[in-house]
Amino acid sequence: MSETPGLRPLDPADLQGNRARYDALMDVVVNRITTREFDSSFDVPREHFELILEAARQAPSGANSQPWHYIIVTEQPVKEQIAEYFVGEQQRRIDLNMKFPTPNYSGLATAPGFIVVVTDFRFVRAFPVLRDEHSALVRSEVNDMYVQNAERILLQSVAASTMSAHLAATALGYNVWWVTAIGQEGAQKAMKPLLGIPDDLSVLDIMCFGPPKTKTYKRWKKSLGEIINWDQFQPEHHLSLDQVEEWIQTQRHKVMYRDAKNVD
Ligand SMILES: Cc1cc2nc3c(=O)[nH]c(=O)nc-3n(C[C@H](O)[C@H](O)[C@H](O)COP(=O)(O)O)c2cc1C
């Protein structure tokens, strides 16, 4: 087996509570910032793609199934065709009156780093689900619940891997953009032929990265006190549905598109 880059025998005594190591990690975590338009003149060295996907490769996954594939898109016309699909999606949302503050997806075509994340939903079978004698998934109320949970396991697994890639790109000095909105049949049909993706695999998201076109800003994050609970869920953390709706009405657009200082 080939040696894993960076792997070294851990001596817990050396590392526990090592604040400098934590701070180095947080330097990357805190500076992972989304941008939606890049400096398109920048060339990402091939090695950087490999370093980024090496980080993705090391991620944890349910049953260690590693249900991910990454397609590095280097051809500008392909980036443009994918961007076009998203610009159309932007318009569809407006037409459907979703009132979602959809960003300008033409920025996709400006990304020097463009990686399509593909998953293999057949791996839900690697998780606890009932299958019949032909290995087909059983349709029943009980098993549907397990299948739903298996899908969650799969999605969390791919997200863990994708997040490692985003952090690696940040560590290399890039801004990133995590693009979803591609679960729909139409999106799959538009993208798979462009990239030679077999029918039984699914495009899950797109990772863009590169130097930003304009200065980026740090977005609002909840305070630690708002998300942390010790032993018991704190009732004051529980929002009513009305409060959730109010947040969507009054805050969502601000936290998506303004810097942290300018969100009341
Ligand atoms: C699972 C997930 C899906 C996302 N989908 C989209 C998307 O489809 N389009 C988009 O512009 N941003 C998308 N984002 C980026 C978020 O809008 C962004 O992370 C958030 O506003 C916080 O900003 P920050 O990344 O700078 O902290 C997504 C992020 C995640 C983690």
PDB file of all heavy atoms in Angstrom, residues 3 10 16 41 58 64 82 110 125 188:
ATOM      1  N   GLU A   3       2.250   4.962   0.758  1.00  0.00           N
ATOM      2  CA  GLU A   3       2.257   5.718   2.006  1.00  0.00           C
ATOM      3  C   GLU A   3       1.311   6.912   1.894  1.00  0.00           C
ATOM      4  O   GLU A   3       1.220   7.539   0.841  1.00  0.00           O
ATOM      5  CB  GLU A   3       3.674   6.205   2.258  1.00  0.00           C
ATOM      6  CG  GLU A   3       4.022   6.225   3.734  1.00  0.00           C
ATOM      7  CD  GLU A   3       5.494   6.514   3.908  1.00  0.00           C
ATOM      8  OE1 GLU A   3       5.815   7.695   4.006  1.00  0.00           O
ATOM      9  OE2 GLU A   3       6.282   5.552   3.910  1.00  0.00           O
ATOM     10  N   LEU A  10       0.951   9.137  15.757  1.00  0.00           N
ATOM     11  CA  LEU A  10       0.530  10.175  16.689  1.00  0.00           C
ATOM     12  C   LEU A  10       0.980   9.824  18.090  1.00  0.00           C
ATOM     13  O   LEU A  10       0.804   8.692  18.534  1.00  0.00           O
ATOM     14  CB  LEU A  10      -0.995  10.307  16.684  1.00  0.00           C
ATOM     15  CG  LEU A  10      -1.623  10.955  15.461  1.00  0.00           C
ATOM     16  CD1 LEU A  10      -3.119  11.075  15.649  1.00  0.00           C
ATOM     17  CD2 LEU A  10      -1.019  12.327  15.200  1.00  0.00           C
ATOM     18  N   GLN A  16      -2.297  16.378  22.718  1.00  0.00           N
ATOM     19  CA  GLN A  16      -3.518  16.751  23.431  1.00  0.00           C
ATOM     20  C   GLN A  16      -3.421  18.183  23.937  1.00  0.00           C
ATOM     21  O   GLN A  16      -2.451  18.552  24.594  1.00  0.00           O
ATOM     22  CB  GLN A  16      -3.773  15.786  24.585  1.00  0.00           C
ATOM     23  CG  GLN A  16      -4.567  14.583  24.107  1.00  0.00           C
ATOM     24  CD  GLN A  16      -4.435  13.395  25.016  1.00  0.00           C
ATOM     25  OE1 GLN A  16      -4.076  13.541  26.182  1.00  0.00           O
ATOM     26  NE2 GLN A  16      -4.715  12.232  24.486  1.00  0.00           N
ATOM     27  N   SER A  41      -8.538  34.655 -14.705  1.00  0.00           N
ATOM     28  CA  SER A  41      -7.250  34.572 -15.410  1.00  0.00           C
ATOM     29  C   SER A  41      -6.267  33.661 -14.669  1.00  0.00           C
ATOM     30  O   SER A  41      -5.203  33.330 -15.192  1.00  0.00           O
ATOM     31  CB  SER A  41      -6.641  35.970 -15.560  1.00  0.00           C
ATOM     32  OG  SER A  41      -6.288  36.465 -14.280  1.00  0.00           O
ATOM     33  N   GLN A  58      -9.280  11.497   2.404  1.00  0.00           N
ATOM     34  CA  GLN A  58      -9.045  11.072   3.782  1.00  0.00           C
ATOM     35  C   GLN A  58     -10.299  11.150   4.659  1.00  0.00           C
ATOM     36  O   GLN A  58     -10.239  10.856   5.851  1.00  0.00           O
ATOM     37  CB  GLN A  58      -7.944  11.944   4.418  1.00  0.00           C
ATOM     38  CG  GLN A  58      -6.596  11.831   3.737  1.00  0.00           C
ATOM     39  CD  GLN A  58      -6.030  10.416   3.778  1.00  0.00           C
ATOM     40  OE1 GLN A  58      -6.302   9.659   4.701  1.00  0.00           O
ATOM     41  NE2 GLN A  58      -5.271  10.051   2.770  1.00  0.00           N
ATOM     42  N   ASN A  64     -17.266   3.063   5.872  1.00  0.00           N
ATOM     43  CA  ASN A  64     -16.048   3.361   5.089  1.00  0.00           C
ATOM     44  C   ASN A  64     -16.277   3.116   3.591  1.00  0.00           C
ATOM     45  O   ASN A  64     -15.395   2.645   2.874  1.00  0.00           O
ATOM     46  CB  ASN A  64     -14.851   2.534   5.597  1.00  0.00           C
ATOM     47  CG  ASN A  64     -13.513   3.183   5.233  1.00  0.00           C
ATOM     48  OD1 ASN A  64     -13.472   4.314   4.733  1.00  0.00           O
ATOM     49  ND2 ASN A  64     -12.429   2.475   5.450  1.00  0.00           N
ATOM     50  N   ILE A  82     -22.320  24.442 -17.941  1.00  0.00           N
ATOM     51  CA  ILE A  82     -22.863  24.162 -16.605  1.00  0.00           C
ATOM     52  C   ILE A  82     -23.399  25.461 -15.989  1.00  0.00           C
ATOM     53  O   ILE A  82     -24.498  25.482 -15.420  1.00  0.00           O
ATOM     54  CB  ILE A  82     -21.795  23.484 -15.701  1.00  0.00           C
ATOM     55  CG1 ILE A  82     -21.456  22.099 -16.274  1.00  0.00           C
ATOM     56  CG2 ILE A  82     -22.280  23.379 -14.260  1.00  0.00           C
ATOM     57  CD1 ILE A  82     -20.342  21.348 -15.570  1.00  0.00           C
ATOM     58  N   THR A 110     -16.452  31.597 -14.100  1.00  0.00           N
ATOM     59  CA  THR A 110     -15.198  32.318 -13.824  1.00  0.00           C
ATOM     60  C   THR A 110     -14.252  31.514 -12.923  1.00  0.00           C
ATOM     61  O   THR A 110     -13.126  31.951 -12.672  1.00  0.00           O
ATOM     62  CB  THR A 110     -15.471  33.670 -13.123  1.00  0.00           C
ATOM     63  OG1 THR A 110     -16.004  33.421 -11.798  1.00  0.00           O
ATOM     64  CG2 THR A 110     -16.451  34.533 -13.905  1.00  0.00           C
ATOM     65  N   ARG A 125     -27.031   0.656   0.151  1.00  0.00           N
ATOM     66  CA  ARG A 125     -27.102  -0.768   0.484  1.00  0.00           C
ATOM     67  C   ARG A 125     -26.001  -1.205   1.441  1.00  0.00           C
ATOM     68  O   ARG A 125     -26.076  -2.301   2.008  1.00  0.00           O
ATOM     69  CB  ARG A 125     -26.963  -1.603  -0.792  1.00  0.00           C
ATOM     70  CG  ARG A 125     -28.122  -1.454  -1.733  1.00  0.00           C
ATOM     71  CD  ARG A 125     -27.659  -1.667  -3.163  1.00  0.00           C
ATOM     72  NE  ARG A 125     -28.775  -1.543  -4.071  1.00  0.00           N
ATOM     73  CZ  ARG A 125     -29.478  -2.577  -4.510  1.00  0.00           C
ATOM     74  NH1 ARG A 125     -29.160  -3.795  -4.167  1.00  0.00           N
ATOM     75  NH2 ARG A 125     -30.490  -2.386  -5.305  1.00  0.00           N
ATOM     76  N   GLN A 188     -29.526  16.796 -13.490  1.00  0.00           N
ATOM     77  CA  GLN A 188     -28.732  15.581 -13.739  1.00  0.00           C
ATOM     78  C   GLN A 188     -28.607  15.352 -15.249  1.00  0.00           C
ATOM     79  O   GLN A 188     -27.536  15.057 -15.760  1.00  0.00           O
ATOM     80  CB  GLN A 188     -29.402  14.359 -13.091  1.00  0.00           C
ATOM     81  CG  GLN A 188     -29.582  14.477 -11.578  1.00  0.00           C
ATOM     82  CD  GLN A 188     -28.260  14.477 -10.814  1.00  0.00           C
ATOM     83  OE1 GLN A 188     -27.319  13.812 -11.200  1.00  0.00           O
ATOM     84  NE2 GLN A 188     -28.182  15.260  -9.752  1.00  0.00           N
TER      85      GLN A 188
END
